[in-house]
């Protein structure tokens, strides 16, 4: 056992234990660690966005005499108009700009990547294009799976008869999907705990051999 | 028997946490080294990097923060080790403000292990706000998006960037993330510029990203600590073949604990269900 001599490792370890104390019940030590995290994060992000966004993208250009850069700065500052009731309507300008530019950039790209390509991947191809029987089975599963799930989301007709049966199978498929997702989530949460325990047992207490 | 089942189904949560903690700690203290089986998405990414000629450039995007470090950091290190061991040039960037230090630490650590030269073999460009604009900008001109590297050195003066201008000169982008970054890389870099994309994602996000593998929008994918462990296994094998010292297998060891924890959770779920149905039967009777 080789206890760490790094004071920051001790700070991190003690704060981790404060957070873990919530597993027993809520307490002031947990609250302290939680508030410390919120405060430090706010300060960190503020400094980071100043040095990586605000300064190089606006201030540095204005200093070089490019006064056009004051326009986006002014547009951004209009977000604070919400605090002055008389001029609160001015907040619509930056929001309109962001919505317009954001949609223009995102919609074609998302359509191409998430709708067109995914539809293409769902469609069945000629049998000889699949490398194995398992690939054919997978393709059929995806094709019929998508159709059956879509029938569940078809609400213009009562789910009775054929539509009732297909939508019920659609729900089963959705449940299998949710189950797979939940299983992965359990693994993710256990992984996070492993990471912290590895830090406490290894980096802090020096009990682990790797 | 009924009494035992009743007691087990009414365990308080502190006891369950204690059992799970033991299930995780004991394998960390006494590793089992359970066998690894490499899944096709992991193998595909490994094979793609293997297929690249020496001197190619790849971009590794640190899109994660410390909140998902145990899952994504080992995969980042494993891919870095693979690329650097194969003399592939690495460009590191960060699109998550909380991950700047992690990206720097990882890239420096592996470069030191494999004696790589900054500016020639690898570069770290640091953080840039506005994901979409950065991803699109890299398709036009890296030099305009990142005029300087993390240390403030103009990238025009770095040998690595002499023949790297945009995605045409970058063979692969790998996004390590616990959020939506890989999907944005697909939308902005793959759909728009045809750039090859791979992802290292957390378990929570894995199920969302499988469709991108089936369509070929991802070259490969590492999902959660399991994906990281599989890649570590492949890299360990490569290092042995090359006579390099094998790196510490963080995720491989972590998988021992995950396997035991999963077994415990399965047993607890089964006991909980048996107890539930027995109680329901008793109430009905």
């Amino acid at each position: 056992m080789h206890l760490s001599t790094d004071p920051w490792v001790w700070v991190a370890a003690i704060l981790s234990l404060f957070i873990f104390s919530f597993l027993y019940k809520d307490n002031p030590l947990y609250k302290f660690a939680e508030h410390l995290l919120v405060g430090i994060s706010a300060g960190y992000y503020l400094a980071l966005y100043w040095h990586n966004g605000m300064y190089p993208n606006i201030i540095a250009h204005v200093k070089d005499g490019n006064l056009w850069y004051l326009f986006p700065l002014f547009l951004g500052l209009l977000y604070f108009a919400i605090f002055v009731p008389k001029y609160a309507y001015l907040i619509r300008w930056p929001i309109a700009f962001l919505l317009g530019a954001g949609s223009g950039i995102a919609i074609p790209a998302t359509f191409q990547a998430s709708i067109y390509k995914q539809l293409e991947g769902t469609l069945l191809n000629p049998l000889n294009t699949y490398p194995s029987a398992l690939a054919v089975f997978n393709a059929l599963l995806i094709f019929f799976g998508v159709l059956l799930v879509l029938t569940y989301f078809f609400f213009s007709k009562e789910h009775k008869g054929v539509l009732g049966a297909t939508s019920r199978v659609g729900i089963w498929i959705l449940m299998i999907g949710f189950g797979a997702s939940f299983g992965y989530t359990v693994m993710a949460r256990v992984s996070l705990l492993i990471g912290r325990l590895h830090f406490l047992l290894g980096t802090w207490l020096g009990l682990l051999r790797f | 028997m009924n009494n035992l089942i009743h007691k087990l189904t009414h365990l308080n949560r502190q006891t369950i946490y204690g059992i799970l903690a033991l299930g995780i700690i004991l394998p960390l203290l006494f590793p089992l080294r359970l066998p690894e089986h490499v899944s096709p998405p992991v193998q595909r990414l490994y094979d793609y990097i293997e297929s690249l000629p020496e001197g190619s450039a790849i971009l590794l995007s640190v899109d994660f923060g410390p909140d998902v470090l145990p899952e994504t950091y080992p995969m980042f290190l494993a891919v870095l080790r693979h690329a650097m061991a194969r003399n592939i040039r690495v460009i590191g960037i960060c699109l998550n403000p909380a991950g700047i230090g992690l990206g720097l630490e990882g890239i420096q650590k592996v470069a030191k292990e494999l004696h790589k030269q900054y500016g020639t073999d690898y570069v770290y460009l640091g953080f840039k706000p506005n994901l979409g604009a950065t991803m699109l900008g890299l398709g036009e001109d890296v030099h305009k998006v990142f005029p300087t590297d993390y240390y403030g050195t103009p990238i025009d003066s770095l040998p690595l960037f002499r023949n790297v201008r945009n995605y045409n000169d970058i063979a692969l982008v790998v996004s390590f993330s616990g959020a939506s970054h890989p999907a944005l890389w697909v939308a902005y870099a793959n759909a728009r510029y045809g750039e090859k994309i791979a992802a290292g994602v957390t378990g929570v996000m894995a199920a969302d990203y499988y469709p991108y593998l089936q369509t070929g929008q991802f070259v490969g994918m590492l999902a959660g600590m399991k994906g990281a462990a599989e890649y570590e296994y492949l890299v360990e094998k490569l290092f042995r073949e090359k006579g390099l010292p094998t790196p510490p297998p963080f995720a491989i060891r972590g998988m021992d604990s995950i396997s035991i924890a999963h077994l415990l959770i399965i047993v607890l779920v089964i006991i909980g269900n048996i107890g539930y149905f027995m109680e329901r039967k008793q109430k009905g009777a």
Side-chain angles (χ1 to χ4, degrees):
Chain A
M1 181 169 166
H2 301 285
L3 273 178
S4 171
T5 51
D6 184 343
W8 289 112
V9 169
W10 278 80
V11 170
I14 290 166
L15 287 172
S16 297
L17 293 177
F18 282 4
I19 293 287
F20 278 156
S21 68
F22 184 79
L23 292 173
Y24 179 65
K25 64 177 186 180
D26 201 357
N27 63 76
L29 296 176
Y30 167 77
K31 284 258 185 318
F32 169 75
E34 189 187 31
H35 292 172
L36 193 69
L37 175 74
V38 172
I40 288 176
S41 300
Y44 172 75
Y45 282 100
L46 189 69
L48 194 79
Y49 277 102
W50 171 263
H51 288 294
N52 289 279
M54 192 73 179
Y55 190 85
N57 292 333
I58 304 236
I59 310 293
H61 292 290
V62 174
K63 272 186 171 176
D64 290 341
N66 297 322
L67 297 182
W68 283 108
Y69 282 85
L70 287 173
F71 178 70
L73 177 66
F74 171 71
L75 203 61
L77 287 174
L78 287 182
Y79 269 108
F80 295 102
I82 193 76
F83 296 117
V84 187
K86 195 176 165 189
Y87 300 107
Y89 68 94
L90 290 173
I91 197 176
R92 292 175 192 165
W93 293 1
I95 289 176
F97 177 80
L98 266 189
L99 274 180
S103 308
I105 292 170
I107 290 173
T110 308
F111 187 87
Q112 170 78 6
S114 302
I115 299 176
Y116 176 73
K117 276 299 243 183
Q118 291 299 324
L119 268 179
E120 193 184 283
T122 306
L123 296 176
L124 294 171
N125 294 318
L127 271 180
N128 57 1
T129 58
Y130 293 102
S132 63
L134 188 66
V136 175
F137 175 75
N138 284 341
L140 288 169
L141 194 67
I142 290 168
F143 179 74
F144 287 109
V146 169
L147 290 186
L148 291 167
V149 169
L150 283 176
T151 59
Y152 171 71
F153 289 104
F154 185 74
F155 299 121
S156 301
K157 194 174 180 296
E158 199 176 348
H159 286 187
K160 275 183 179 173
V162 176
L163 188 63
T166 54
S167 65
R168 181 160 301 192
V169 182
I171 294 176
W172 295 345
I173 293 170
L174 278 174
M175 291 303 153
I176 292 169
F178 294 148
S181 195
F182 180 67
Y184 258 123
T185 303
V186 170
M187 182 175 81
R189 300 303 178 226
V190 174
S191 303
L192 298 185
L193 182 58
I194 290 170
R196 209 66 320 234
L197 290 174
H198 186 272
F199 169 76
L200 291 172
L201 297 173
T203 314
W204 183 41
L205 298 177
L207 288 171
L208 303 181
R209 278 171 288 159
F210 65 98
Chain B
M1 183 67 184
N2 278 1
N3 200 20
L4 179 69
I5 293 281
H6 178 80
K7 273 185 183 164
L8 285 172
T9 49
H10 290 84
L11 283 176
N12 63 25
R13 65 191 172 105
Q14 284 84 357
T15 311
I16 293 173
Y17 291 152
I19 295 169
L20 269 178
L22 274 179
I24 291 169
I25 290 170
L26 289 176
L28 284 178
L29 292 170
F30 310 105
L32 308 168
R33 195 73 203 240
L34 297 169
E36 281 301 329
H37 300 286
V38 180
S39 56
V42 175
Q43 188 69 53
R44 274 163 58 181
L45 175 58
Y46 181 85
D47 291 344
Y48 185 79
I49 294 181
E50 275 293 295
S51 72
L52 295 175
E54 284 193 8
S56 307
I58 64 169
L59 188 144
L60 302 187
S61 186
V62 180
D63 301 335
F64 64 92
D67 52 333
V68 292
L69 179 142
E71 290 185 276
T72 42
Y73 193 60
M75 46 178 89
F76 172 57
L77 293 184
V79 174
L80 257 175
R81 285 189 177 110
H82 184 203
M84 286 190 172
R86 287 218 55 248
N87 295 323
I88 286 165
R89 294 175 299 161
V90 173
I91 302 163
I93 66 166
C94 175
L95 297 181
N96 180 336
I100 304 169
L102 294 172
L104 180 68
E105 185 190 82
I107 213 162
Q108 281 178 338
K109 182 187 167 99
V110 176
K112 197 175 163 191
E113 280 172 16
L114 296 167
H115 313 291
K116 295 293 170 185
Q117 182 81 34
Y118 186 82
T120 310
D121 303 316
Y122 74 101
V123 164
Y124 187 58
L125 299 177
F127 171 70
K128 196 55 103 176
N130 197 337
L131 310 174
T134 305
M135 291 167 186
L136 288 169
L138 292 175
E140 302 297 328
D141 194 346
V142 182
H143 298 244
K144 282 185 183 160
V145 182
F146 288 96
T148 59
D149 69 358
Y150 173 77
Y151 302 100
T153 313
I155 67 166
D156 291 329
S157 66
L158 300 170
L160 191 151
F161 282 102
R162 264 182 219 141
N163 50 9
V164 174
R165 278 233 86 88
N166 51 36
Y167 290 134
N168 291 334
D169 311 309
I170 298 171
L172 173 73
V173 170
V174 190
S175 168
F176 301 92
S177 172
S180 60
H181 300 80
L184 293 172
W185 278 110
V186 167
Y188 294 128
N190 174 265
R192 178 86 180 262
Y193 295 99
E195 175 65 2
K196 300 275 184 197
I197 308 289
V201 297
T202 55
V204 176
M205 299 304 295
D208 288 357
Y209 285 124
Y210 268 96
Y212 291 102
L213 278 170
Q214 191 250 344
T215 55
Q217 288 166 291
F218 278 171
V219 167
M221 183 174 85
L222 315 183
M225 194 177 265
K226 173 78 180 130
E230 290 172 12
Y231 212 91
E232 276 183 355
Y233 170 75
L234 290 169
V235 171
E236 204 175 60
K237 218 165 78 174
L238 176 79
F239 273 43
R240 279 210 190 95
E241 282 166 17
K242 284 182 171 272
L244 294 165
T246 52
F250 174 82
I252 290 175
R253 295 278 171 87
M255 283 313 295
D256 289 348
S257 296
I258 283 187
S259 304
I260 301 297
H262 282 191
L263 272 176
L264 283 170
I265 290 167
I266 290 168
V267 169
L268 288 168
V269 167
I270 291 171
I271 290 172
N273 275 279
I274 291 172
Y276 169 75
F277 283 111
M278 281 177 74
E279 276 188 0
R280 206 166 75 161
K281 202 175 163 188
Q282 276 171 358
K283 276 178 194 166

